[in-house]
Amino acid sequence: MSSSTVENGTNQMSLIARIINLFFSPSKTFQAVSTSPKWVLPLIIITLLITFGAMYMLTPVIMTESKGVMEEKMLERGMSSDQVDKAVEQTQKYQKYSIAPTTLVAGLVLTFIMAGIWLFFGNTILGGSATYGQMLGVITYSGFIGLLGLLIKMPIMLAQQTMNVHFSLATFMADASKDAFLYKLLANVEIFNLWTIAVYSIGIAIVAQLKVKSVWPWVLILTVLYWVAAAGLGSAFGG
């Protein structure tokens, strides 16, 4: 089979086939992305139809959890119970309609920023030859791994009325320590995040024409550094 035939086959791979292969044979998906990124429709599916909709369903849960945090912080500042009640009421009126749109915008912005970061990493640091469109394809399709995790965890979140649901090393720690740095760091070490790291490594290697063994250590290191920074900020500001 000639290389042109293979390229044409991957180029014609349907969206459904790309998504399915992402979970079972990611190299096939990223070969298709390499020849034809086609990232727009999957990005719409992820950010608008799924993430946006999921956040609407989870908004009451988020509001309930944030209410307790807000009340605690305000009482620590010396506000009276009446002042706290009024402030929380006003904030939650805004939250009711802002959480889902904010999540959508943040997801879009983060996708484009991450594509730029990994493009710089792949091309400048490792000497690859990916395009921005190809890297957007890698980031977008890899997002379906996280969405699978969200869809699995959503029923548990709704049943238990908490966003603190994860399949991570933090599971072995007490919930009372959920604001601690170590808890927040270990909460990131879960199967779907590790799976995403592996998929990122394969995708970046393919579109940048690099070897996976030269890519995955950097993806792991940069991701862990991000987890450490996020955990540090989260524990410092109670987020």
Side-chain angles (χ1 to χ4, degrees), residues 12-114:
Q12 296 303 318
M13 186 183 293
S14 69
L15 173 61
I16 298 299
R18 290 184 181 208
I19 295 172
I20 292 174
N21 279 316
L22 177 77
F23 295 99
F24 300 102
S25 182
S27 60
K28 291 182 180 179
T29 293
F30 294 125
Q31 288 290 353
V33 167
S34 182
T35 57
S36 180
K38 293 184 178 179
W39 53 267
V40 177
L41 184 55
L43 183 59
I44 291 173
I45 293 172
I46 289 175
T47 59
L48 184 59
L49 300 182
I50 301 179
T51 303
F52 195 50
M55 284 303 104
Y56 261 127
M57 294 180 66
L58 291 169
T59 289
V61 178
I62 297 171
M63 289 176 63
T64 298
E65 289 198 326
S66 65
K67 180 180 179 180
V69 174
M70 285 189 292
E71 289 175 340
E72 183 180 345
K73 297 292 184 184
M74 291 175 184
L75 288 172
E76 287 176 356
R77 294 171 188 166
M79 295 175 64
S80 68
S81 296
D82 287 341
Q83 289 175 321
V84 170
D85 290 341
K86 289 179 181 178
V88 170
E89 182 181 358
Q90 289 298 318
T91 301
Q92 294 213 306
K93 283 181 180 179
Y94 170 76
Q95 283 184 323
K96 184 176 181 180
Y97 301 103
S98 66
I99 290 175
T102 300
T103 301
L104 183 147
V105 173
L108 287 172
V109 171
L110 185 61
T111 297
F112 289 107
I113 290 176
M114 287 180 65

Side-chain angles (χ1 to χ4, degrees), residues 161-194:
Q161 288 295 291
T162 179
M163 295 295 291
N164 189 38
V165 175
H166 45 80
F167 308 115
S168 71
L169 294 180
T171 303
F172 301 101
M173 297 179 67
D175 285 344
S177 61
K178 66 181 181 180
D179 290 328
F181 169 80
L182 183 59
Y183 186 99
K184 291 183 178 295
L185 178 60
L186 293 180
N188 286 304
V189 187
E190 74 162 10
I191 184 171
F192 295 103
N193 287 342
L194 297 177

Side-chain angles (χ1 to χ4, degrees), residues 9 57 96 133 139 151 166 210 213 223:
M57 294 180 66
K96 184 176 181 180
I139 302 304
L151 293 176
H166 45 80
L210 299 165
K213 66 180 181 181
T223 303

Side-chain angles (χ1 to χ4, degrees), residues 111-133:
T111 297
F112 289 107
I113 290 176
M114 287 180 65
I117 291 173
W118 290 119
L119 182 68
F120 173 82
F121 154 75
N123 287 1
T124 305
I125 305 300
L126 293 180
S129 56
T131 66
Y132 185 64

